[in-house]
Amino acid sequence: GEKANYPRFYRQSLDKLAKEQRILSRRKKGSARWEKQRLKVAELQEKTANQRKNFLHHQSKELATTYDAVIIEDLDMKGMSQALHFGKSVHDNGWGMFTTFLSYKLKEQGKQLVKIDKWFPSTKKCSCCGAEKPMKLSERTYRCSCGYVAYRDYNSAINIKNEGIRLLALT
């Protein structure tokens, strides 16, 4: 029932980064001032990367210590960023880095990470009765013919959890 509430570090630093990059573009390449400005831009980018990495380490540690098994959907983030025009937002999340952190932290503690196939219809399936219906990305509320109504992502999370439990029972 909780949302991730990702802080969007790249979006926060975008204005400052754009300003510093504009200054860099006006400098003569190879000059001392250009090199100094290049380092400023690099430091801003490194700070953003470090903030993201720190946040992801904390989130993955919290999940790894709290739960014996974590179930996630194996998403194609590169494809999503290109196809759905969410490029900056998708890449700002660092999903691949998060799954890597989560995976090794769970493995260290002898716990399990279950990945659900990316083609599993988690969004289209009713978590109450199991019926499937097509949904547009713009539809944010899932409404089933059985009368079940829920927020789209919440319904999807329940379906992923149920599928993960089913897969755990098989092993």
Side-chain angles (χ1 to χ4, degrees):
E2 289 180 39
K3 287 187 178 184
N5 293 328
Y6 184 76
R8 295 184 175 102
F9 297 111
Y10 179 70
R11 293 281 184 180
Q12 288 175 359
S13 68
L14 203 55
D15 292 335
K16 197 171 187 179
L17 186 63
K19 181 184 172 208
E20 296 299 334
Q21 285 174 327
R22 266 195 310 276
I23 293 170
L24 177 65
S25 72
R26 287 192 293 264
R27 302 273 187 254
K28 185 176 181 189
K29 194 169 184 178
S31 69
R33 291 181 77 201
W34 177 84
E35 186 60 31
K36 193 175 177 182
Q37 189 63 32
R38 188 189 65 78
L39 290 174
K40 266 189 183 178
V41 171
E43 282 174 10
L44 269 174
Q45 290 171 332
E46 186 180 15
K47 181 182 177 184
T48 302
N50 288 340
Q51 285 176 318
R52 181 184 301 118
K53 203 178 284 188
N54 182 46
F55 175 78
L56 296 175
H57 269 299
H58 283 286
Q59 293 299 310
S60 59
K61 183 179 187 243
E62 187 180 320
L63 288 173
T65 54
T66 309
Y67 302 103
D68 292 330
V70 178
I71 304 161
I72 60 172
E73 195 169 10
D74 191 23
L75 298 170
D76 176 24
M77 297 309 274
K78 186 175 182 182
M80 280 177 69
S81 70
Q82 292 170 348
L84 303 174
H85 308 292
F86 294 144
K88 286 180 187 174
S89 300
V90 169
H91 291 299
D92 195 16
N93 286 333
W95 179 252
M97 192 186 301
F98 175 70
T99 56
T100 304
F101 292 166
L102 189 59
S103 177
Y104 87 77
K105 286 176 183 171
L106 287 167
K107 206 172 277 182
E108 279 178 352
Q109 297 179 18
K111 298 177 179 181
Q112 283 188 299
L113 176 69
V114 180
K115 288 187 178 182
I116 305 299
D117 185 46
K118 64 181 171 185
W119 300 113
F120 177 73
S122 60
T123 308
K124 300 173 184 175
K125 191 175 181 182
C126 177
S127 59
C128 192
C129 69
E132 285 185 35
K133 73 170 198 149
M135 279 188 79
K136 294 178 185 173
L137 191 60
S138 59
E139 290 179 57
R140 301 312 303 163
T141 306
Y142 185 88
R143 297 179 196 285
C144 185
S145 56
C146 71
Y148 179 72
V149 177
Y151 180 62
R152 174 194 182 113
D153 295 338
Y154 180 74
N155 179 60
S156 180
I158 292 171
N159 285 328
I160 290 169
K161 179 183 119 186
N162 292 340
E163 179 67 9
I165 290 169
R166 188 187 70 78
L167 290 174
L168 277 171
L170 295 174
T171 57

